[in-house]
Amino acid sequence: MLPGQPPRDSKTWDVGIDGMSLMTPKPIPPGTKCEVSFELPLGGGKMCPVTAAVKVLYCSFSGPDGFKVGTALGELDDESRAALTGFSE
C-alpha cells in the first residue's frame, strides 16, 4: 500500500528474507516507502500472513505485464521472519 492511496494488487515475482520483487500495473518510484501484505505457505495447508514495510529499490518496465519493482524489507515480526526464512530455504 502506498501512503495516501488505496491498496494496489500486484503479483509476487520473488520473495526472500531481505526483500521481494513485484509485478505491478503502474510504476512505483525508487525510494518510495510503502507496506506490503501477503501470505506464505507453511505446510500442512496453513498460511502465514505477512505485513511489512518496504522501500522500493528499483522499478523497470517489463512489457505487457507492467513494471518489475524490487524492494528491501524492513523490520519483521518473529513469525513473519521465521516463515520467510523457511520459505527461502
Side-chain angles (χ1 to χ4, degrees), residues 27-72:
I28 302 174
T32 301
K33 293 181 180 180
C34 50
E35 185 177 85
V36 295
S37 296
F38 56 96
E39 291 184 327
L40 286 173
L42 295 178
K46 293 185 180 184
M47 301 294 282
C48 177
V50 176
T51 298
V54 297
K55 181 178 179 182
V56 175
L57 302 176
Y58 67 85
C59 181
S60 58
F61 181 67
S62 288
D65 290 334
F67 295 82
K68 187 173 181 182
V69 178
T71 67

Side-chain angles (χ1 to χ4, degrees), residues 7-46:
R8 183 185 295 187
D9 288 336
S10 62
K11 294 180 183 179
T12 304
W13 182 264
D14 189 15
V15 64
I17 194 68
D18 295 326
M20 63 189 308
S21 294
L22 308 166
M23 292 299 293
T24 65
K26 295 180 182 179
I28 302 174
T32 301
K33 293 181 180 180
C34 50
E35 185 177 85
V36 295
S37 296
F38 56 96
E39 291 184 327
L40 286 173
L42 295 178
K46 293 185 180 184

